[in-house]
Amino acid sequence: MKIGLFCNYENHHQNYRRAIFEQVALVRQAESLNFDEAWVSEHHFSEVNISSSMLLLMAHLAGVTSTIRLGTAAVLLPFHNPIRVAEDIATLDNLCNGRLLFGIAKGGPFPQQNKHFAIAMGESRARMLEAMALIHKLLYEKEVSFYGQYYQCDRLTVYPKPLQQQIPVYIASGDTSSIEFAAQNSFSLMGGPPFALERLKKTVNEYRNINPSGADNFVLARFFFVGKTNEAAVNEAMPFIRQFSQKMKANTAVVMQNSSTGHKPFERTNICFDEDYLIENSIIGDAITCRDKIKKFQDELNLGTLALKPASFDMQKNIDSLQCYNQEVRNYV
């Protein structure tokens, strides 16, 4: 199992520049601890998560790191022109010397994103899958002609081409059509911090029924903090967990008002934002507790990568937690 860092570029102190460069420092710290990967999220219209220009942030990371692989977690494809995404992804792969990992998602549950990018929530998944089909052709082929429902091109070649022969692709979704698309194309899957283990197991099993091999590259992101005691770790992480819970509950309340979105119920066997559920499903506790939780995820999902999202508002405590993970957890899992 590879170990990664999950990067949300949180603006805890209402200082945009500080938020950006504290995250850069965490990525560089992770690289110094021999973490394998760093995954950067995309958010829009949020004072808390300021990674709206994700690929720009990753281009900067490409210049200040040398060994850690850099992943998009994820490009919200419905909000972008896929031709431009193909150009940007190929350029970024060259900038980071072939260290790029390409994760995609449909976006949500953040209704403002769909509203202001003028994309109906009910169209998001179909747009994501069609855009990815086009991007994959544009990255590796020349004179591409494509005539989809949403996107078209005629004998188009984009430059530059990626440095990697094939950039690994990951889809953040538990929807059946997305799982089938990923399995049929030998793309991998991603699961976010609030996804229930029951849902994740179902997702991986659906994939393996179609493609027995690719699911072993599954990326799981989890909130993380290791402390001297379980109580100390939970107390340190709780302000972060509470803020996340409140934000996501507000978003999902708006989503569920619209019965035509196609969203599954938000509950504990699927995806949930209750504080106690998030603590239970995160890797938060003393070293032994964190080891046991990681081992459970490994046993149930056969993870390819575990991406840790430090869950303190305090930069130094997050650094200390990552160091503690390396010293007291990593070699035991």
Side-chain angles (χ1 to χ4, degrees):
M1 182 185 73
K2 298 181 178 66
I3 191 68
L5 185 72
F6 195 77
C7 310
N8 269 344
Y9 283 79
E10 285 110 348
N11 186 23
H12 299 312
H13 306 288
Q14 300 300 300
N15 183 321
Y16 303 121
R17 188 178 186 281
R18 176 178 176 180
I20 289 170
F21 284 98
E22 283 193 348
Q23 185 64 78
V24 171
L26 271 179
V27 172
R28 296 184 71 177
Q29 177 70 19
E31 183 175 63
S32 75
L33 295 172
N34 294 316
F35 276 40
D36 301 286
E37 300 164 1
W39 292 87
V40 180
S41 63
E42 177 182 336
H43 293 273
H44 296 276
F45 320 125
S46 170
E47 284 188 297
V48 177
N49 302 111
I50 57 168
S51 52
S52 55
S53 295
M54 174 179 62
L55 297 182
L56 279 179
L57 296 171
M58 292 182 65
H60 179 255
L61 291 176
V64 298
T65 61
S66 58
T67 58
I68 196 167
R69 301 205 74 177
L70 302 174
T72 64
V75 176
L76 306 182
L77 282 186
F79 309 143
H80 300 278
N81 184 306
I83 297 172
R84 184 57 187 266
V85 171
E87 292 177 325
D88 287 345
I89 289 297
T91 301
L92 185 55
D93 191 48
N94 281 274
L95 283 174
C96 68
N97 198 31
R99 290 183 282 137
L100 186 65
L101 307 166
F102 183 29
I104 65 168
K106 70 179 184 64
F110 299 99
Q112 279 197 71
Q113 295 182 154
N114 290 80
K115 175 183 176 181
H116 294 296
F117 287 118
I119 301 296
M121 295 191 76
E123 292 182 3
S124 292
R125 182 171 288 109
R127 283 180 174 272
M128 173 190 73
L129 298 179
E130 186 176 300
M132 187 61 229
L134 173 55
I135 290 167
H136 205 247
K137 286 180 172 294
L138 290 171
L139 286 173
Y140 308 109
E141 299 177 18
K142 295 182 178 181
E143 296 291 316
V144 173
S145 294
F146 188 93
Y147 306 102
Q149 180 180 357
Y150 304 105
Y151 309 110
Q152 300 83 35
C153 65
D154 181 47
R155 292 168 294 178
L156 175 64
T157 303
V158 301
Y159 299 100
K161 293 300 182 184
L163 184 60
Q164 296 180 80
Q165 186 174 2
Q166 289 281 331
I167 299 173
V169 174
Y170 301 79
I171 300 180
S173 178
D175 172 78
T176 296
S177 62
S178 300
I179 295 168
E180 289 176 352
F181 178 82
Q184 290 164 359
N185 289 279
S186 292
F187 299 153
S188 302
L189 298 172
M190 306 178 71
F195 289 12
L197 180 59
E198 184 174 336
R199 169 182 171 159
L200 296 170
K201 287 169 63 177
K202 180 175 181 291
T203 295
V204 170
N205 287 334
E206 284 184 33
Y207 186 108
R208 288 191 177 124
N209 286 336
I210 302 170
N211 183 341
S213 61
D216 293 344
N217 294 321
F218 188 84
V219 174
L220 177 65
R222 277 296 183 259
F223 297 136
F224 163 80
F225 194 85
V226 59
K228 292 183 178 179
T229 66
N230 285 328
E231 182 180 11
V234 170
N235 286 343
E236 183 60 39
M238 183 55 76
F240 172 91
I241 295 294
R242 180 164 293 130
Q243 182 187 77
F244 177 82
S245 171
Q246 291 171 350
K247 178 182 70 172
M248 296 306 295
K249 283 184 173 182
N251 284 326
T252 54
V254 176
V255 170
M256 298 309 291
Q257 287 175 0
N258 184 353
S259 60
S260 67
T261 60
H263 277 272
K264 297 178 181 178
F266 292 93
E267 42 85 17
R268 288 173 178 252
T269 62
N270 176 32
I271 182 170
C272 180
F273 303 110
D274 293 342
E275 291 176 12
D276 64 323
Y277 167 92
L278 292 170
I279 290 290
E280 179 184 347
N281 284 275
S282 298
I283 300 168
I284 295 173
D286 62 21
I288 293 175
T289 298
C290 289
R291 293 175 198 169
D292 291 343
K293 288 190 171 188
I294 293 171
K295 186 65 165 60
K296 182 177 181 179
F297 287 125
Q298 285 179 298
D299 291 344
E300 298 285 355
L301 299 172
N302 191 23
L303 294 177
T305 297
L306 176 64
L308 302 176
K309 171 64 197 76
S312 172
F313 287 159
D314 186 287
M315 170 69 170
Q316 186 57 51
K317 289 181 179 178
N318 283 329
I319 289 176
D320 293 344
S321 179
L322 292 177
Q323 291 173 334
C324 187
Y325 169 84
N326 245 34
Q327 295 166 358
E328 301 185 32
V329 179
R330 189 171 187 173
N331 291 335
Y332 297 88
V333 295

